[in-house]
Amino acid sequence: MNNDTNKLIPELRFPEFVNEGKWDEKTVGDIYDFKVTNSFSRENLNYDKGLVKNIHYGDIHTRFNTLFDILKEKVPYINLNVPIEKIREESFCVEGDMVFADASEDLNDIGKSIEIINLNGQAVLPGLHTLLARQKERRLITGFGGHLFKTYSIRKQIQREAQGAKVLGISVGRISNVNISFPKNPKEQQKITSCLSSLDEVIAAHSQKLEVLKEHKKGLMQNLFPQEGETVPKYRFPEFLGDADWVEKSIQKLIDENKIISHLDGNHGALYPKAEEFSKEGIPYISANDFISGIIDFSKCKYLPLSKANKFKKGVAKDGDILFAHNATVGPVAKLNTDFPFVILSTTATYFRCDNKNLINDFLRFALTSPSFVRQYTRVMSQSTRNQIPITAQREFILQIPKPKEQQKIAECLSSLDNSITVQVEKVEQLKLYKRGLMQGLFPKVIEE
């Protein structure tokens, strides 16, 4: 069997189709015609009332599922005062259509697509920066195309066809050149579609569970910490109901009094590493993006070779310190959890260290993400054109502090919830990784990876 035949047979095939032979290979232009779309901006849309709904390219990037079911998606209406009488009937979506986002600032999102599988009788138009593709004749069953256009092979081709510098675009002509392959037998298409759709439902269920956990934590944070201007929280564990009110102190006062906090500002005078300075291994370089569920996720860190890392002062942060991201990405807080060498710049985070038993590190980690603390730094950010919180401003922020035993109880409660969130995040990531591998096996590699 030659290489051309091999590339049109997937590595994984359901038993009943192993003798079906190679898949068909066509271009997108062979299978699909493209229809005219509108260019209505967000200002022409609303979520309350209207007769016709509109698919905005931004929602394809961030919100809509691969298989678009109108009953499961939040889709805006076109404002009633926007004239649509001249729009041709063929420009309205029908089930089985593909809708592509034809613009993006991110290469990973250019040409991202959805397949319309259920409109429930609702009139829907594809809108700003979209391409509407409709099959010339029925070669692909409804649902198969949605998964097909998410495969690595096709996504890579679309990215190669994209044009532009800061904003990337993909035209009808260029996307029409993309090669696609599919089983001739509709039953094999259906088997693949059902398999991947079932897996998507499992991922969606676990993702929903993750969102519930995050919302639960958000509610607890609202109730376990006093609101700004108050000295007791809405909810207090029973054993502390008779205790004194929480104490309010500025970070500067906590630094000055009994060294409850050492307010450390880390590495000065170092420039950010250049992209070409990073390597696959070496010394971890910590950024705010690595602050995950209250800890540093070193698996996500970039690395600097030792020779490059040495030019960055390693700083004074150590295992157990609390880091507050204060520049560009503002707000994430994490507890440092390593004794190994690392690089983190003072321009990334402020370091906090509790120096005595009156303030517990783990409680401080959550206090720095409490609603009242968030409001304080949000006000500072709103008064500046720069997305950062200067250390001088941080020293004036107020922390509300109960006695150590109550701190410990709150920290244990929220840490347990963080652990549950971390486990759920890992489940979702594992499922997505499994799906990625499954898709690589279920679809032929039309291009070399």
Side-chain angles (χ1 to χ4, degrees), residues 21 49 239 416 423:
K49 60 182 178 180
E239 60 266 43
S416 176
V423 169

Side-chain angles (χ1 to χ4, degrees), residues 33-89:
D33 274 330
F34 286 83
K35 309 300 179 182
V36 176
T37 60
N38 70 70
S39 57
F40 299 143
S41 66
R42 289 286 190 191
E43 289 74 21
N44 298 122
L45 310 176
N46 76 91
Y47 286 95
D48 298 322
K49 60 182 178 180
L51 299 175
V52 177
K53 292 194 171 185
N54 193 80
I55 294 174
H56 190 278
Y57 79 107
D59 293 331
I60 297 176
H61 287 321
T62 61
R63 176 179 294 172
F64 294 153
N65 292 306
T66 297
L67 302 185
F68 178 94
D69 182 341
I70 196 75
L71 299 177
K72 299 178 181 179
E73 307 287 2
K74 185 178 181 181
V75 189
Y77 290 100
I78 298 173
N79 294 343
L80 290 170
N81 62 351
V82 176
I84 60 171
E85 294 81 9
K86 293 184 179 180
I87 294 178
R88 295 180 179 179
E89 185 177 348

Side-chain angles (χ1 to χ4, degrees), residues 250-266 316-324 349-361 364 368 391 394-395 399 401:
S250 70
I251 289 176
Q252 182 63 60
K253 194 168 186 179
L254 288 167
I255 294 170
D256 296 338
E257 291 182 357
N258 304 316
K259 292 187 177 180
I260 294 177
I261 288 180
S262 290
H263 193 249
L264 309 172
D265 57 6
V316 290
K318 66 179 184 180
D319 185 50
D321 286 354
I322 307 302
L323 278 60
F324 169 68
T350 305
Y351 308 40
F352 295 88
R353 184 177 305 151
C354 302
D355 284 351
N356 69 33
K357 62 183 179 181
N358 290 320
L359 185 58
I360 298 169
N361 264 17
L364 177 61
L368 293 174
I391 289 174
Q394 293 177 45
R395 290 173 182 266
L399 284 176
I401 306 169

Side-chain angles (χ1 to χ4, degrees), residues 34 45 99 157 164 166 215 264 270-271 435 439:
F34 286 83
L45 310 176
V99 183
Q157 290 183 77
K166 290 185 178 180
E215 284 299 312
L264 309 172
L271 299 173
K435 182 188 174 184
M439 288 188 70

Side-chain angles (χ1 to χ4, degrees), residues 35 51 102 249 271 296 307 331 359 437 448:
K35 309 300 179 182
L51 299 175
D102 74 1
K249 291 188 178 182
L271 299 173
I296 306 299
S307 59
L359 185 58
E448 293 300 321

Side-chain angles (χ1 to χ4, degrees), residues 65-275:
N65 292 306
T66 297
L67 302 185
F68 178 94
D69 182 341
I70 196 75
L71 299 177
K72 299 178 181 179
E73 307 287 2
K74 185 178 181 181
V75 189
Y77 290 100
I78 298 173
N79 294 343
L80 290 170
N81 62 351
V82 176
I84 60 171
E85 294 81 9
K86 293 184 179 180
I87 294 178
R88 295 180 179 179
E89 185 177 348
E90 67 178 14
S91 293
F92 285 81
C93 293
V94 298
E95 290 165 8
D97 283 353
M98 295 294 305
V99 183
F100 299 87
D102 74 1
S104 176
E105 295 179 1
D106 185 349
L107 183 63
N108 290 326
D109 281 342
I110 187 64
K112 195 173 180 181
S113 61
I114 58 173
E115 181 176 6
I116 310 296
I117 65 165
N118 181 28
L119 292 172
N120 196 41
Q122 172 69 57
V124 177
L125 284 168
L128 181 67
H129 286 306
T130 64
L131 304 176
L132 175 62
R134 184 168 299 150
Q135 290 189 59
K136 297 175 179 179
E137 56 180 283
R138 207 66 177 168
R139 304 288 294 274
L140 308 178
I141 67 161
T142 300
F144 182 79
H147 296 296
L148 176 66
F149 281 96
K150 288 293 192 295
T151 59
Y152 175 89
S153 174
I154 293 178
R155 291 293 307 135
K156 207 67 180 174
Q157 290 183 77
I158 290 174
Q159 289 167 6
R160 290 175 182 174
E161 292 288 343
Q163 295 177 304
K166 290 185 178 180
V167 178
L168 297 165
I170 184 87
S171 66
V172 168
R174 296 186 75 87
I175 204 169
S176 294
N177 294 328
V178 169
N179 292 313
I180 61 175
S181 61
F182 51 91
K184 301 172 186 177
N185 189 339
K187 291 182 179 179
E188 186 172 4
Q189 294 182 30
Q190 184 61 62
K191 190 82 171 184
I192 294 169
T193 302
S194 298
C195 172
L196 293 174
S197 296
S198 296
L199 186 52
D200 277 345
E201 289 176 5
V202 175
I203 293 172
H206 279 280
S207 298
Q208 180 61 33
K209 184 177 179 180
L210 176 60
E211 290 307 309
V212 169
L213 287 169
K214 289 180 177 179
E215 284 299 312
H216 180 49
K217 180 183 176 183
K218 183 178 178 181
L220 279 178
M221 293 292 294
Q222 292 279 355
N223 292 313
L224 288 176
F225 287 86
Q227 297 298 311
E228 195 171 7
E230 299 180 359
T231 56
V232 291
K234 291 181 180 179
Y235 177 82
R236 218 164 182 185
F237 293 102
E239 60 266 43
F240 306 113
L241 288 174
D243 281 11
D245 289 358
W246 291 29
V247 177
E248 290 188 344
K249 291 188 178 182
S250 70
I251 289 176
Q252 182 63 60
K253 194 168 186 179
L254 288 167
I255 294 170
D256 296 338
E257 291 182 357
N258 304 316
K259 292 187 177 180
I260 294 177
I261 288 180
S262 290
H263 193 249
L264 309 172
D265 57 6
N267 312 320
H268 286 288
L271 299 173
Y272 287 105
K274 297 177 182 178

